[in-house]
Amino acid sequence: MAAVTIDSLLQNPTLLFRPKAKVLLKPPRSLDCSRNRKLPLSRGSCLCSFNPRRTIHVVRASSSETALIGNFDISSSDDILYKDIFPVKRIEKVEGKFFIRLDRSKDQHDWQFTVGCSLPGKWILHWGVSYLGDSGSEWDQPPKGMRPPGSIPIKDYAIETPLKKLSEGDIFHEVKIDFNPISEIAAIHFVLKDEETGAWYQHRGMDFKVPLVDYLEDDGNIVGAKRGFGVWSGALQQFSNVLLKSEASHADSQNNSIESKDSKNKNRCLEGFYEEQSIVKEVSVGNLVSVAVRKSPETGKVVVCLETDIPGDVVVHWGVCRDDAKIWKIPAAPYPPETTVFKNKALRTLLQPKATGNRSGALFTLDEEHFGFLFVLKLDDNTWLKFKENDFYVPLLGTSSVPGQYGQSDSTSEEISSKSYTDGIINEIRNLVSGLSSEKSLKTKKKEVQESILQEIEQLAAEAYSIFRSSITTVPDEVVSETETTKPAVKISSGTGTGFEILCQGFNWESHKSRRWYMELKEKASEISSLGFTVIWLPPPTESVSPEGYMPKDLYNLNSRYGTIDELKELVKSLHEVGMKVLGDVVLNHRCAHFKNQNGVWNIFGGRLNWDDRAVVADDPHFQGRGNKSSGDNFHAAPNIDHSQEFVRKDLKEWLGWLREEIGYDGWRLDFVRGFWGGYVKDYLEASGPYFAVGEYWDSLSYTYGEMDHNQDSHRQRIVDWINATNGTAGAFDVTTKGILHSALERCEYWRLSDQKGKPPGVVGWWPSRAVTFIENHDTGSTQGHWRFPGGKEMQGYAYILTHPGTPAVFYDHIFSHHRSEIASLISVRNRNGIHCRSLVKIVKAERDVYAAIIDEKVAMKIGPGYYEPPSGSQRWSLALEGRDYKVWETS
């Protein structure tokens, strides 16, 4: 017997992927660091435990096998017929600490509330307060003076503040909140969020509550009720209590006169505390699996070498196949050491540790008649690793004809398969575009042929985009280009309209107050249509706890503050009569309950959809749901619906279908789509078949020291990722473009309107057919004014979105204002020149004080106080419209 050495195949032994985490709060326990696995942690500390490794077995082979394999030198292309490296992901548990502290601030007058976490991640404290006299469990926003730097308001009920390391050597990420002890605040409420993974840390399924008065009822989520620093014990505990009592007594003597003035604070008796818990976080860790194949010239057998850097015991569950059907078969012996037969269907081999490095591997000797080598990796009884949800596959037959034909050095089979597949898609698209062009060159106006070709292009482009997004971090330019010079009467694909839509938001934040909004809008239907709008977005139609409609209760009750169900039907009918499509505003993320459960929590629903608490996600920090964990971000004001439940999806699809039939809606505006996976949206849209759909994916842009970054690729990428999750069946509001327009116009920095590649910097620059551009809506403007467009510059914003690709949306308040005639003129220019959602933009100027672009070689525009005139040449330009700091030209 002779030992066989297998040289490493791994160029990069460890890859860490962006974590996708599950999080558990656990009581403190002792940590076992004696296990034979390694996990990268800061400062070399070990916070994890694993099962022990088995006894190490040295890989040995017979002398014949040794002669067969020889020196397996993978560096020689003459010896290696196939080589590939597969990236895999697995889950490891990391333990860290989470602490909460309340003590006096340095000035000894105010108090300081601190939250910290030792685990790596982008930590956000999602918090709010309740005030003296408040009832219920709803939060309020704290006073502005209480908010630490970097805090961002979330709607009107919470604040999000990032945790940061105070110095380079700190273990904990922390946030400190100072407050006045004689304020009106009764309690601080919070949950902790890992922004990178979307995981929430909560207290017994609810938010953490830190009482600042003595009389608050304990709902099971109070922390800090024990006096003193409970993490200390013995003499140190006694010493801490003496300190705290001494400090409290000293402070009380100073503040007696102040507190006596405010009777509401008579029950306040603050004492400091420190609480600490262990957190277990499941982190996705990347590893590599290397495979190399050679053929022995002496015996004609094929030798497969498999190695991995996955720590611990790794079992290869393997077999061979005889054709491309990839049906598993058991090959003839010999087998590697530690191999067993599994149910006469496959073989299992325990990989053996390498003499050097943190790797293990095995050699598989096979007859050359086999078509391919199939395997999966088994880490334990519940953990199996595959490649892209499929079995690993290594081609064997024909590998000797062209060395390396199946694999390339330092490349993965994922890249190879993606390239070949997307090349095929691109060729199909080119053929289809050529077919469309030939149809037009022959002047055949068959609508059915054009529609069929365009639909196929759209589907292939979405499929190709999905492949690209799985392997790269940037989005390829939209493959489809529009060659039609006149407006075709075709439907491009479900949910995205024809491409020539112009959207009107048909309400504002105050519209419900008249209680007859539907009838008021019906009287204006002809007027709105005459301005050039083709689609109108109506307010949420359902019964709602909030009058604006965004806290729905009974989904089948359509008598709302805007009017009755019959009035809604009349309105929709009138809008159809003037040629407009109608979008319903549907809230699918959350729903207000009708009844409390046995614990007094509102999570039982009534009406026709009488769901129980299984319809509520389990990780909503405010409600005790029994569903699965949320697939998105939680909206804390109402129970978040668990869309993974089959009965929930079935009911919602039936409801959307009922709205289409009963009311006559043509499509949807989807509220708060960050709260659930876009794949569920795809399911709903395919079931309801809308003409047009747009989602509200609202996210914060990127800022550095309070100033907006020029590069907003990460922001628009998140929106595009959601669109792609819907398989392109819906568009999304282009929040990126709105934010960039804000900075460009407010600060006279028009250079911001061109990205690094000279294209529009928003979603409209990456996926224009799915970008719904806007400058204002009922949240950002109206009486809410959460993010109001720069005053006096609204028409510059409309000059941009109404001349550019994407689907422009105009806010109701601007239509019925002094901007009306200018907006109508811009719409007229857009329609007259056939500008559509895929029109081509050529940015000709993006400087400090001016932005200028030419669209489809038909329309030129500029915004900003700086100078620009379109070039004189073969095209003759005439001024179509001019206003304050904007101009629009069209070809004569």
Side-chain angles (χ1 to χ4, degrees):
M1 299 289 287
V4 178
T5 302
I6 307 173
D7 293 331
S8 172
L9 301 178
L10 303 180
Q11 303 297 319
N12 185 0
T14 302
L15 290 178
L16 287 180
F17 291 87
R18 181 172 175 152
K20 291 186 178 179
K22 292 182 179 178
V23 181
L24 302 171
L25 285 179
K26 297 180 63 179
R29 63 178 178 85
S30 60
L31 302 178
D32 185 353
C33 298
S34 64
R35 308 303 190 187
N36 190 19
R37 295 205 185 193
K38 293 185 178 181
L39 183 69
L41 291 173
S42 62
R43 300 174 124 2
S45 59
C46 179
L47 297 177
C48 54
S49 61
F50 298 93
N51 293 326
R53 275 196 72 116
R54 305 174 60 157
T55 304
I56 292 178
H57 302 273
V58 178
V59 184
R60 294 188 179 273
S62 67
S63 58
S64 61
E65 287 176 321
T66 305
L68 169 68
I69 298 167
N71 183 14
F72 204 106
D73 184 6
I74 66 170
S75 63
S76 171
S77 60
D78 294 333
D79 293 332
I80 301 300
L81 305 178
Y82 171 89
K83 174 189 172 184
D84 223 330
I85 301 176
F86 301 86
V88 293
K89 295 180 184 178
R90 59 188 176 84
I91 300 299
E92 283 193 348
K93 292 184 178 180
V94 183
E95 266 193 49
K97 294 181 179 180
F98 168 75
F99 78 82
I100 309 163
R101 182 172 62 227
L102 182 69
D103 56 6
R104 289 191 180 277
S105 59
K106 293 181 180 179
D107 62 11
Q108 295 296 310
H109 294 293
D110 289 342
W111 281 71
Q112 190 172 74
F113 172 66
T114 308
V115 175
C117 182
S118 65
L119 287 176
K122 186 177 179 182
W123 298 106
I124 301 292
L125 189 73
H126 184 93
W127 64 288
V129 300
S130 55
Y131 290 94
L132 297 171
D134 283 355
S135 59
S137 60
E138 292 188 3
W139 300 3
D140 286 309
Q141 288 186 343
K144 290 186 177 180
M146 186 177 174
R147 306 174 190 179
S151 297
I152 298 174
I154 304 299
K155 299 224 178 245
D156 58 353
Y157 68 91
I159 295 293
E160 288 194 346
T161 306
L163 277 67
K164 298 179 180 179
K165 288 189 176 183
L166 301 183
S167 62
E168 189 67 29
D170 285 351
I171 296 176
F172 287 92
H173 298 75
E174 296 184 9
V175 61
K176 298 178 183 292
I177 299 171
D178 294 316
F179 64 93
N180 189 320
I182 61 170
S183 67
E184 297 288 315
I185 298 172
I188 298 173
H189 307 260
F190 72 93
V191 290
L192 194 63
K193 179 183 177 183
D194 186 348
E195 186 75 6
E196 290 181 349
T197 65
W200 293 86
Y201 296 72
Q202 48 196 352
H203 188 51
R204 300 170 185 168
M206 297 180 286
D207 55 285
F208 291 86
K209 180 163 71 173
V210 180
L212 304 182
V213 294
D214 292 342
Y215 57 82
L216 289 185
E217 181 181 352
D218 188 354
D219 297 324
N221 61 339
I222 283 182
V223 292
K226 295 180 180 180
R227 302 303 185 189
F229 287 71
V231 73
W232 295 336
S233 59
L236 191 57
Q237 169 69 70
Q238 297 172 18
F239 179 66
S240 69
N241 286 339
V242 170
L243 283 176
L244 288 170
K245 289 177 181 177
S246 173
E247 289 178 351
S249 174
H250 177 67
D252 289 344
S253 64
Q254 290 183 334
N255 295 331
N256 274 341
S257 59
I258 299 174
E259 292 184 3
S260 63
K261 295 179 183 179
D262 190 351
S263 60
K264 291 183 180 179
N265 286 282
K266 63 183 179 181
N267 291 319
R268 190 187 302 273
C269 183
L270 287 179
E271 287 192 14
F273 71 87
Y274 180 100
E275 285 197 11
E276 191 175 273
Q277 301 183 47
S278 291
I279 304 173
V280 176
K281 177 176 178 179
E282 293 184 350
V283 179
S284 178
V285 178
N287 291 98
L288 299 174
V289 178
S290 268
V291 178
V293 179
R294 75 180 290 264
K295 186 175 180 180
S296 170
E298 294 84 5
T299 65
K301 292 202 172 191
V302 174
V303 181
V304 178
C305 177
L306 187 151
E307 283 190 11
T308 182
D309 62 345
I310 299 172
D313 294 336
V314 180
V315 173
V316 181
H317 185 91
W318 64 281
V320 296
C321 60
R322 294 192 170 92
D323 53 40
D324 57 8
K326 298 178 183 176
I327 298 174
W328 285 56
K329 302 289 182 182
I330 295 179
Y335 305 140
E338 294 280 349
T339 296
T340 59
V341 179
F342 178 76
K343 295 183 178 181
N344 291 320
K345 295 181 178 179
L347 297 167
R348 287 184 172 177
T349 299
L350 175 66
L351 296 185
Q352 303 299 309
K354 300 285 291 179
T356 58
N358 299 314
R359 300 183 305 278
S360 58
L363 294 175
F364 305 85
T365 303
L366 305 169
D367 294 332
E368 65 173 335
E369 66 185 20
H370 300 304
F371 188 84
F373 179 78
L374 300 160
F375 69 96
V376 293
L377 301 179
K378 180 176 181 286
L379 304 188
D380 55 49
D381 289 339
N382 300 313
T383 307
W384 296 76
L385 298 183
K386 295 186 174 184
F387 181 64
K388 295 179 66 176
E389 303 302 322
N390 295 309
D391 301 337
F392 291 87
Y393 173 71
V394 177
L396 300 178
L397 190 62
T399 54
S400 60
S401 59
V402 182
Q405 63 177 317
Y406 293 102
Q408 298 175 4
S409 178
D410 300 324
S411 66
T412 68
S413 60
E414 180 178 9
E415 292 169 338
I416 297 164
S417 59
S418 294
K419 184 180 186 303
S420 61
Y421 188 49
T422 50
D423 282 348
I425 290 177
I426 291 169
N427 288 333
E428 286 188 59
I429 291 174
R430 285 172 178 160
N431 292 336
L432 289 168
V433 172
S434 298
L436 182 63
S437 301
S438 64
E439 287 289 337
K440 292 173 182 176
S441 64
L442 294 172
K443 298 184 178 180
T444 58
K445 301 298 183 180
K446 294 180 180 178
K447 183 174 72 174
E448 296 82 1
V449 174
Q450 292 185 9
E451 179 178 354
S452 175
I453 292 174
L454 285 170
Q455 285 180 343
E456 289 189 59
I457 291 174
E458 194 79 21
Q459 292 167 1
L460 288 167
E463 193 172 358
Y465 169 77
S466 178
I467 299 290
F468 279 120
R469 279 293 302 126
S470 68
S471 59
I472 59 176
T473 56
T474 59
V475 177
D477 300 332
E478 187 165 39
V479 178
V480 182
S481 63
E482 180 65 53
T483 56
E484 181 66 82
T485 57
T486 59
K487 180 177 178 180
V490 297
K491 178 181 177 182
I492 293 174
S493 67
S494 174
T496 58
T498 66
F500 291 86
E501 286 72 26
I502 301 175
L503 176 63
C504 161
Q505 180 177 357
F507 64 99
N508 61 29
W509 194 247
E510 304 295 319
S511 298
H512 66 90
K513 291 184 175 179
S514 72
R515 291 186 176 268
R516 59 179 306 273
W517 184 251
Y518 293 150
M519 292 298 94
E520 292 181 20
L521 208 56
K522 177 185 174 183
E523 296 168 1
K524 298 178 179 178
S526 297
E527 184 180 0
I528 294 171
S529 176
S530 69
L531 296 175
F533 291 102
T534 61
V535 181
I536 187 167
W537 156 24
L538 298 184
T542 55
E543 174 200 15
S544 170
V545 171
S546 64
E548 298 82 13
Y550 289 101
M551 299 283 281
K553 194 173 181 182
D554 184 353
L555 299 186
Y556 279 92
N557 182 355
L558 301 191
N559 295 313
S560 69
R561 303 290 181 90
Y562 298 100
T564 67
I565 183 174
D566 292 331
E567 291 171 340
L568 175 57
K569 289 179 182 179
E570 283 186 50
L571 170 60
V572 172
K573 181 181 178 183
S574 297
L575 291 166
H576 284 163
E577 288 173 350
V578 295
M580 296 187 71
K581 301 291 186 181
V582 182
L583 304 185
D585 199 330
V586 290
V587 183
L588 303 179
N589 176 75
H590 52 272
R591 182 184 171 196
C592 293
H594 292 72
F595 312 105
K596 295 181 180 180
N597 68 1
Q598 66 273 17
N599 298 324
V601 176
W602 293 90
N603 62 10
I604 307 299
F605 305 92
R608 183 165 162 181
L609 303 183
N610 54 345
W611 301 332
D612 59 17
D613 52 4
R614 291 174 301 154
V616 180
V617 297
D619 54 345
D620 188 325
H622 292 76
F623 301 92
Q624 297 173 359
R626 290 194 297 121
N628 297 311
K629 290 190 175 182
S630 175
S631 57
D633 292 339
N634 281 325
F635 176 77
H636 293 300
N640 288 253
I641 299 305
D642 179 13
H643 294 265
S644 71
Q645 302 283 7
E646 179 64 31
F647 72 91
V648 168
R649 295 199 304 277
K650 177 178 178 292
D651 286 347
L652 290 178
K653 285 187 281 190
E654 288 180 359
W655 177 63
L656 292 171
W658 177 78
L659 288 176
R660 291 270 277 137
E661 293 295 323
E662 186 71 16
I663 306 303
Y665 285 126
D666 300 291
W668 317 115
R669 180 266 185 184
L670 302 156
D671 184 65
F672 197 73
V673 296
R674 274 182 61 187
F676 55 103
W677 178 47
Y680 297 131
V681 173
K682 172 180 176 289
D683 197 19
Y684 299 139
L685 297 187
E686 288 178 347
S688 59
Y691 167 86
F692 190 88
V694 56
E696 180 208 29
Y697 192 97
W698 201 272
D699 200 2
S700 297
L701 278 79
S702 301
Y703 293 83
T704 301
Y705 303 115
E707 182 173 335
M708 181 182 290
D709 296 341
H710 178 213
N711 187 333
Q712 294 293 333
D713 287 356
S714 61
H715 183 267
R716 58 176 167 175
Q717 187 67 70
R718 292 191 291 273
I719 299 175
V720 166
D721 285 346
W722 177 83
I723 300 171
N724 188 52
T726 75
N727 204 30
T729 56
F733 287 108
D734 192 348
V735 181
T736 316
T737 291
K738 173 177 167 63
I740 293 170
L741 280 169
H742 272 250
S743 282
L745 273 59
E746 277 180 332
R747 304 164 64 93
C748 197
E749 295 175 344
Y750 291 84
W751 48 266
R752 292 182 176 272
L753 294 173
S754 176
D755 69 10
Q756 289 84 346
K757 294 183 178 180
K759 296 184 177 182
V763 178
V764 73
W766 275 0
W767 206 346
S769 67
R770 301 302 190 271
V772 177
T773 53
F774 72 108
I775 70 166
E776 207 78 287
N777 64 26
H778 60 292
D779 283 323
T780 65
S782 191
T783 54
Q784 288 203 97
H786 287 326
W787 195 23
R788 200 179 301 279
F789 201 76
K793 301 180 187 294
E794 293 86 354
M795 287 313 304
Q796 287 189 62
Y798 282 123
Y800 182 91
I801 69 171
L802 286 169
T803 59
H804 278 55
T807 300
V810 182
F811 184 41
Y812 180 88
D813 289 5
H814 293 160
I815 298 169
F816 293 96
S817 72
H818 62 283
H819 299 308
R820 171 177 165 157
S821 62
E822 290 178 274
I823 291 173
S825 297
L826 284 169
I827 293 174
S828 179
V829 170
R830 184 181 183 89
N831 288 334
R832 192 161 59 240
N833 290 278
I835 304 300
H836 51 84
C837 69
R838 294 178 180 79
S839 288
L840 301 178
V841 179
K842 179 183 177 183
I843 297 175
V844 294
K845 214 170 190 181
E847 300 174 357
R848 183 188 64 82
D849 60 350
V850 65
Y851 167 86
I854 297 175
I855 302 90
D856 281 349
E857 299 296 330
K858 302 175 189 175
V859 172
M861 59 81 66
K862 79 100 180 176
I863 56 175
Y867 174 80
Y868 171 77
E869 292 284 337
S872 57
S874 58
Q875 289 177 304
R876 297 181 57 188
W877 296 95
S878 59
L879 185 63
L881 186 62
E882 182 177 8
R884 180 181 174 184
D885 288 336
Y886 78 89
K887 287 184 178 181
V888 178
W889 298 264
E890 56 189 340
T891 54
S892 303

